[in-house]
Amino acid sequence: MVAMFVDSCTVTVRALVRRRFSWWEFLLQTRFLASVALLPTILIAIPFGLVLVLTVGGLTSQVGAASLVGGVNSVGTVRQAAPIISGIVLAGAGGSAICADLGSRAIRSEIAAMRVMAVDPLERLVAPRILATMLVSVLLNGVVAFVGIISGYLSAVYLLNSTAGGFLHSFSAFSQPADLIESTVKAALFGLVAALVASYQGLNAQHGPAGVGDAVNRSVVLTGVLLFVINLVVSQIFLLAAPPRVG
């Protein structure tokens, strides 16, 4: 699996440099991934922002620090919630579709036929899906962050009766450019992992349609586990390099 991951990344870079990258396939995959993942992502981001602010707001109100809700919402949503939500939704909706598509091609021997015709399936099929998944993941990450912050603001002002000025002051006091950088890096890595795992499982699917179903299940589960491991590692790196801003 690791060798295939390295080969896929190498082939993607080589295809871009040699101008053999399939931009048409990239556009088709980008459009498809955005269409299947955008609405579920927004529907998850709205209640998450509400729950985060209501939970934290209830606690901070008891200690007389209700004005900190904006800062907590900013850091929690941008650094953690947005990339995780976009990555999981993309792995479930987009990654499963990629795995099923490549798996169906594999059991119909289309992948083997491509190799016989000297067409590299990694360059023709996997490379466009890798860049498309990474791009959509980054874009979804921005959507989740925006929706989560807006829903958090509305719940703080209208449900917890916090002042809008206090929320915005706390938000600006705790926010920093490193939050956005960390969030974007995570989203790009999560998109890369989702595409690589789905492609690997799909290309190696066997035993007919039942094998494709098993490959899809393995793809979603393995991607979910890897996302949380990567999130832990990247979070620790950014905590050391750019610790959260305190006021």
Side-chain angles (χ1 to χ4, degrees):
M1 181 182 292
V2 175
M4 186 267 185
F5 288 0
V6 174
D7 288 344
S8 297
C9 295
T10 304
V11 166
T12 302
V13 174
R14 188 172 60 200
L16 289 170
V17 173
R18 295 181 178 179
R19 299 182 179 180
R20 298 179 56 178
F21 185 77
S22 179
W23 289 104
W24 178 247
E25 183 71 15
F26 165 77
L27 293 176
L28 291 178
Q29 292 299 321
T30 301
R31 177 184 176 185
F32 169 74
L33 293 171
S35 65
V36 299
L38 179 59
L39 182 58
T41 302
I42 293 176
L43 294 178
I44 293 176
I46 293 175
F48 186 88
L50 292 172
V51 171
L52 176 63
V53 167
L54 291 177
T55 303
V56 175
L59 294 174
T60 55
S61 297
Q62 296 180 30
V63 297
S67 60
L68 297 178
V69 172
V72 175
N73 182 47
S74 167
V75 176
T77 300
V78 175
R79 282 201 171 200
Q80 299 297 332
I84 280 291
I85 291 175
S86 59
I88 290 178
V89 172
L90 195 57
S96 59
I98 291 174
C99 183
D101 176 38
L102 297 181
S104 299
R105 294 170 186 259
I107 64 173
R108 293 198 301 265
S109 300
E110 291 183 16
I111 303 300
M114 292 177 69
R115 292 194 173 99
V116 170
M117 293 185 292
V119 177
D120 188 352
L122 296 183
E123 180 180 295
R124 180 65 180 83
L125 300 175
V126 176
R129 285 162 173 77
I130 288 176
L131 288 193
T133 309
M134 293 177 68
L135 174 62
V136 173
S137 180
V138 172
L139 295 177
L140 287 178
N141 178 61
V143 172
V144 174
F146 177 77
V147 173
I149 290 173
I150 294 298
S151 64
Y153 170 83
L154 294 176
S155 61
V157 173
Y158 294 103
L159 298 180
L160 294 177
N161 295 320
S162 298
T163 63
F167 183 94
L168 295 176
H169 175 73
S170 175
F171 180 89
S172 61
F174 283 85
S175 300
Q176 57 179 333
D179 299 340
L180 185 60
I181 296 174
E182 177 182 345
S183 185
T184 303
V185 169
K186 285 182 178 178
L189 288 175
F190 293 169
L192 174 64
V193 170
L196 289 175
V197 173
S199 298
Y200 174 82
Q201 295 294 340
L203 292 176
N204 291 280
Q206 297 176 345
H207 310 302
V212 176
D214 293 338
V216 171
N217 290 335
R218 289 195 300 270
S219 171
V220 174
V221 173
L222 180 58
T223 302
V225 174
L226 289 176
L227 292 191
F228 281 98
V229 173
I230 294 172
N231 182 62
L232 176 61
V233 174
V234 176
S235 296
Q236 291 301 314
I237 293 174
F238 271 89
L239 280 175
L240 295 175
R245 183 179 174 183
V246 183

